[in-house]
Amino acid sequence: QKTAYELASCLVGSEMCIRDSFKGKLPKDIETLKSLPGIGEYTSRSIMAIAHNQPFIPMDANVERIIKRVFLLKTKNEISKENLIKKKSFFNISQRSSDYAQAIMEIGAMVCKPLTPLCNLCPLIQNCKAFKKKDFLIRNKLLLNTGGTDTNLGDLVIMVIF
């Protein structure tokens, strides 16, 4: 994790680069964005979707949670970054990429909540394997890497009865 100073330094570096090399305009291709200080995969995809209305879905914790529940992903291989990125194609594309990307992240934040999912409000309920099986446990990589079980502290065991 970067310190606040390091983050601020990256922001200043990116601002100077955008100002000097791109005449004050955000680059419109993802690889150029990722070359800027402090801009990684998530931020570059967010910029492409939100600022440039391009068909990118940023992978934040909210989007990961939706994917894990829709596909009922549990094992280490299933929740690997590579597999989550493949499964992200489930979301398709939209002509309104900016709104679409923000809506997906918002569904994860406000509806597909970590502890208390509001399934009755979710537009993905028909496709959601977690809902169909009433299994809302979200596994994270850290627990699987340490051999965690459902009884370990920190593991989220959620049983929601509908």
Side-chain angles (χ1 to χ4, degrees), residues 130-142:
F131 175 77
K132 289 174 182 166
K133 294 199 176 229
K134 304 295 186 245
D135 181 356
F136 301 99
L137 171 72
I138 298 293
R139 299 242 183 225
N140 65 46
K141 292 173 226 68
L142 178 64

Side-chain angles (χ1 to χ4, degrees), residues 30 41-42 44-50 54-60 62-64 66-67 84-85 88-94 96-105:
I30 195 160
E41 198 66 37
Y42 172 75
S44 63
R45 289 179 170 280
S46 297
I47 292 169
M48 291 300 292
I50 297 167
Q54 295 298 309
F56 288 88
I57 305 293
M59 181 73 81
D60 69 356
N62 297 314
V63 174
E64 276 192 28
I66 293 170
I67 293 168
L84 292 173
I85 289 169
K88 194 169 59 166
S89 65
F90 162 81
F91 293 116
N92 279 320
I93 59 173
S94 169
R96 296 173 50 195
S97 297
S98 175
D99 293 334
Y100 190 59
Q102 291 178 78
I104 291 169
M105 291 186 285

Side-chain angles (χ1 to χ4, degrees), residues 13-25 27 32 36:
S14 286
E15 184 278 328
M16 289 179 0
C17 189
I18 291 166
R19 183 191 63 219
D20 298 342
S21 300
F22 302 103
K23 298 178 183 171
K25 298 192 187 267
T32 304
L36 297 171

Side-chain angles (χ1 to χ4, degrees), residues 101-161:
Q102 291 178 78
I104 291 169
M105 291 186 285
E106 197 71 9
I107 289 168
M110 304 303 292
V111 177
C112 193
K113 297 178 178 188
L115 300 176
T116 54
L118 305 173
C119 299
N120 58 325
L121 300 177
C122 185
L124 303 173
I125 195 170
Q126 292 179 345
N127 302 77
C128 186
K129 291 181 180 178
F131 175 77
K132 289 174 182 166
K133 294 199 176 229
K134 304 295 186 245
D135 181 356
F136 301 99
L137 171 72
I138 298 293
R139 299 242 183 225
N140 65 46
K141 292 173 226 68
L142 178 64
L143 281 168
L144 290 176
N145 287 339
T146 60
T149 66
D150 290 350
T151 58
N152 285 347
L153 288 176
D155 201 357
L156 297 177
V157 179
I158 316 305
M159 299 305 291
V160 179
I161 299 171

